[in-house]
């Protein structure tokens, strides 16, 4: 496979999986080429839905899943949850800046436990948090929401495209190696545009788990990412 594919990847969001066979679902997306798993944590308070917590992550690790698992916290407060998810071997913990008034402290806590950090931006969240150099310096991922947090299966909001472009520029100018993850409403029809705008990680729920053939679905989307990234390269050469 081309080098491009390793740099940019799809992260299936298990919120849209069949929870009665969660292990099997995860095994199937891994076999189909998933490089990480997206794990949505909702508390029915910060967002109007309730999902899964650290005990489910513990079961997955106990069953032998070693794939990187990225935790997307849509909860408040998050202090204790962050500690629990570190303990259960998360690879990356992503939280919304509005869910705490101790952003820098939480970033430090995650980092000092050898876990990767991420800040999630809802469509209405100001990007001003990224003007803070201390935050930027300690971030591994910026997750840009392209739907309102809370549910799978929503329509991709086109205004996310401009935010991806803006953040791509900001990160490139900063010189830090921060990945851009995009979450919500991604499918085979819009993935090219999202990749072309500057996304690195593509969080996808229903457009994978509600399809019959995971391998073909993921392959098709990976090819579109590769095409978008090589189109960027050729545009920059000219
Ligand atoms: C929404 C979640 C997403 C969601 C993605 O709040 O953060 O990760 O599960 O699902 P789709 O791809 O169906 O929008
Ligand atoms: Zn998510």
């Amino acid at each position: 496979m081309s080098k491009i594919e390793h740099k940019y990847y799809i992260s299936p969001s298990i919120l849209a999986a069949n929870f009665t066979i969660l292990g099997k679902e995860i095994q199937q997306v891994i076999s189909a080429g998933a490089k990480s798993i997206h794990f949505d944590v909702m508390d029915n308070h910060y967002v109007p839905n309730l999902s899964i917590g650290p005990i489910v992550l513990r079961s997955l690790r106990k069953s032998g899943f070693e794939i990187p698992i990225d935790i997307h916290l849509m909860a408040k407060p998050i202090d204790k949850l962050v500690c629990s998810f570190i303990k259960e071997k998360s690879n990356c913990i992503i939280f919304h800046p509005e869910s705490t008034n101790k952003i820098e402290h939480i970033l430090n806590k995650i980092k000092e436990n050898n876990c990767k950090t991420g800040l999630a931006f809802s469509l209405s969240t100001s990007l001003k948090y990224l003007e803070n150099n201390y935050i930027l310096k300690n971030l591994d991922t910026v997750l840009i929401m392209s739907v309102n947090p809370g549910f799978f299966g929503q329509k991709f909001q086109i205004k996310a495209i401009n935010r991806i472009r803006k953040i791509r520029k900001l990160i490139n100018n900063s010189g830090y190696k921060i990945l851009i993850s995009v979450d919500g409403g991604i499918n085979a029809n819009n993935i090219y545009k999202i990749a072309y705008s500057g996304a690195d990680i593509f969080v996808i729920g229903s457009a994978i788990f509600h399809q019959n053939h995971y391998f073909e679905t993921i392959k098709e989307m990976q090819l579109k990412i590769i095409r978008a990234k090589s189109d960027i390269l050729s545009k920059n050469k000219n």
Side-chain angles (χ1 to χ4, degrees):
M1 269 296 159
S2 105
K3 270 186 192 158
I4 293 173
E5 196 188 30
H6 292 282
K7 238 176 113 190
Y8 307 102
Y9 60 87
I10 288 171
S11 183
S13 167
I14 54 173
L15 188 68
N18 177 347
F19 279 101
T20 63
I21 47 164
L22 185 59
K24 197 172 156 206
E25 293 272 73
I26 293 179
Q27 193 48 60
Q28 280 183 9
V29 290
I30 293 174
S31 307
K35 298 280 180 287
S36 80
I37 294 295
H38 184 86
F39 188 113
D40 286 308
V41 180
M42 301 172 174
D43 66 350
N44 192 35
H45 163 69
Y46 187 71
V47 290
N49 199 358
L50 188 62
S51 65
I52 46 176
I55 292 172
V56 175
L57 178 58
R58 187 190 306 165
S59 299
L60 293 175
R61 292 302 189 212
K62 228 177 149 184
S63 299
F65 286 109
E66 286 174 359
I67 184 165
I69 297 184
D70 301 339
I71 309 300
H72 177 190
L73 290 180
M74 286 160 275
K76 191 176 178 175
I78 55 170
D79 307 55
K80 285 186 185 155
L81 276 176
V82 165
C83 295
S84 308
F85 276 108
I86 287 171
K87 196 171 148 231
E88 303 304 345
K89 305 191 194 83
S90 323
N91 293 81
C92 177
I93 300 181
I94 301 164
F95 60 97
H96 288 252
E98 303 94 331
S99 65
T100 175
N101 49 21
K102 297 184 285 186
I103 298 178
E104 299 169 9
H105 170 80
I106 302 268
L107 289 174
N108 283 338
K109 175 104 209 155
I110 299 171
K111 273 207 113 79
E112 73 197 14
N113 283 284
N114 297 321
C115 196
K116 289 193 171 150
T117 58
L119 265 194
F121 290 81
S122 295
L123 286 155
S124 58
T125 305
S126 159
L127 301 181
K128 74 172 189 319
Y129 295 100
L130 298 174
E131 288 163 14
N132 177 328
N133 190 55
Y134 188 85
I135 291 181
L136 265 192
K137 195 173 78 185
N138 287 292
L139 268 187
D140 295 298
T141 314
V142 170
L143 181 138
I144 303 173
M145 294 289 318
S146 34
V147 297
N148 289 324
F151 300 91
F152 63 72
Q154 301 179 75
K155 192 172 177 289
F156 183 88
Q157 300 275 315
I158 200 69
K159 63 181 169 203
I161 293 287
N162 261 339
R163 284 163 76 84
I164 301 169
R165 290 195 192 117
K166 244 190 195 166
I167 294 178
R168 177 84 274 160
K169 253 193 209 148
L170 191 148
I171 290 175
N172 289 354
N173 292 339
S174 77
Y176 293 121
K177 266 179 77 186
I178 303 171
L179 296 176
I180 296 181
S181 179
V182 180
D183 185 4
I186 304 179
N187 57 45
N189 296 324
N190 58 22
I191 199 163
Y192 174 92
K193 193 168 184 171
I194 298 162
Y196 194 81
S197 313
D200 302 299
I201 303 171
F202 303 79
V203 175
I204 306 176
S206 41
I208 293 176
F209 287 109
H210 298 179
Q211 307 300 315
N212 290 329
H213 304 288
Y214 298 172
F215 185 87
E216 287 79 0
T217 304
I218 291 179
K219 185 96 281 165
E220 181 191 359
M221 293 198 274
Q222 275 170 339
L223 289 174
K224 289 186 174 170
I225 298 170
I226 292 173
R227 191 155 57 78
K229 297 304 178 182
S230 29
D231 287 352
I232 296 177
L233 286 180
S234 353
K235 189 188 86 188
N236 291 343
K237 263 188 222 147
N238 297 327

